[in-house]
Amino acid sequence: MDAAIAFTSVRNPSTTRFSSSSASPSSRVPQRLCVRGPWRGRERRLRALRPQSQVQAPRATAADASHHDVVVVGAGIVGLAIARHLLLHTRLSVAVADAAVPCSGATGAGQGYIWMSHRVPGSDMWELAVQSKQLWEELAAEVDGQGGGGARERLGWMRTGSLLVGRTSEELATLEEMTNALSQAGIHAEFLSASSVHALEPALSVGKDGGAMFLSQDCQIDAAQAVSLIEKTNNSYSSEGRYMEFYNDPAMSLIRSEVTGTVEAVQTSRNILYGRKAIVIASGAWTRSLLHSFLEPALTLDIPVKPRKGHLLVVENFDKVKLNHGLMEVGYVDHQVAKLNSTHMASESGEDEQGALSISMTATLDTKGNLVLGSSREFKGFSREVDKSIVKCMWERAGEFFPAMQNVPLDIDQNTQIRIGHRPYMPDGKPVIGFIPDLPNVLVATGHEGNGLTMALGTAEMVTDMILGNPGKVDCSPFSIEHRFSD
């Protein structure tokens, strides 16, 4: 994610300190990276969009300029996947710039779901989700065919299947409706009674009246491994002169041609990156701030993407709960607020208010056997402070589903990671993928919130088709900027 660290993995949160990172791609360990966003504390305003002759770039010289067909701002999973698709399926050259390093943002903090269980057939996002999952399946099959540990070792790919669980009559009615809709759309979905759920997941308790929807074909990936694989693919084109990466080098401004008035380059802190065909802004939750910086003072566009902070808890060497599938309570789908005894909990009707919090149970095992528990959602700006009371609420919420956890105290400072950060949230629930009006060679790809991993490959395919002017496999109109946002 360019412009800020959206998600960061930290240990021992009571002593967390953030500092800028200059780790090289070969030496970084993304899941342990603690990074301070390069914009944090920066009081001066960034330069507005202006002709190159007016841009003051004291650290960039003519020798620092490089020329590419496409420049991608943002090295999260979406930005790197866009670069990969362009390199694999065209002859175009690509540069990727980021204020930090890959997998230090939102990408590195999720649970790695490649799921269809919480998708809605016929919705605007349905086709993109279906296509993107198919592209992940194809990539996993390709990696399996190459040997070397296969997709599990190189992608963290696991066909765990998913269980969307409910415990009330209302939730079961919702699950039955969802099961029928997905089945009619061609997804293999089963509705399970409480006894059937117990047979699949002995550690899970849904009560005698509970149940679940089971999707056997849902998968998980490990974000760090997936990003590493994509980076390796991208860098294989470096020797041809088709790929360059500029990490720890934040984008500062766009540069217009004095002749045509079109955007022709991105000014970073140390380089000028020319993009002959397109510039793609894939900066996650920071896209709005970045565009404001790029386009002021003549700003006529406001894409209302904003950060939605989340906590995830990774518990190492935890043998009290063994899982066979990925789990999620049905309340997660529409972000219902869990009714926990916490002064931090907001009313169910006020989730969009500043600071409002929702917590829903999600649980997976990663490839190392660590228990990954989530998750929280709240609007706290770009705060990255660990809130131990929220983590405690998540632990207690998980205990309502896993009786073996109920009498186990949580020692946050012992054998745990806490992942905190910012999903790129859009009020209408849909990502923004398309050209900026009046800037015909500048695209935006952001606003996926918790769907960035799932939809990255489909988004990359869509952006590539847009750049080439090809008809897309998926209707892109629901994600366009045109006529979607008021001035």
Side-chain angles (χ1 to χ4, degrees), residues 332-348:
Y332 181 90
V333 176
D334 55 6
H335 318 314
Q336 295 173 6
V337 177
K339 296 178 180 178
L340 300 176
N341 295 322
S342 170
T343 57
H344 291 265
M345 301 304 293
S347 67
E348 293 192 43

Side-chain angles (χ1 to χ4, degrees), residues 16 34 55 92 160 335 356 377 413 420:
T16 299
C34 298
V55 172
L92 300 178
T160 58
H335 318 314
R377 295 171 185 258
D413 299 331
I420 51 175

Side-chain angles (χ1 to χ4, degrees), residues 144-175:
D144 272 337
Q146 296 170 353
R152 181 181 176 91
E153 294 297 323
R154 300 175 63 196
L155 273 174
W157 180 267
M158 297 183 290
R159 193 177 299 282
T160 58
S162 68
L163 281 168
L164 196 63
V165 301
R167 299 182 298 171
T168 67
S169 58
E170 292 83 1
E171 289 177 340
L172 261 63
T174 297
L175 288 173

Side-chain angles (χ1 to χ4, degrees), residues 5 41 385 410 447 451-452:
I5 305 307
E385 294 181 6
L410 173 64
N451 296 307

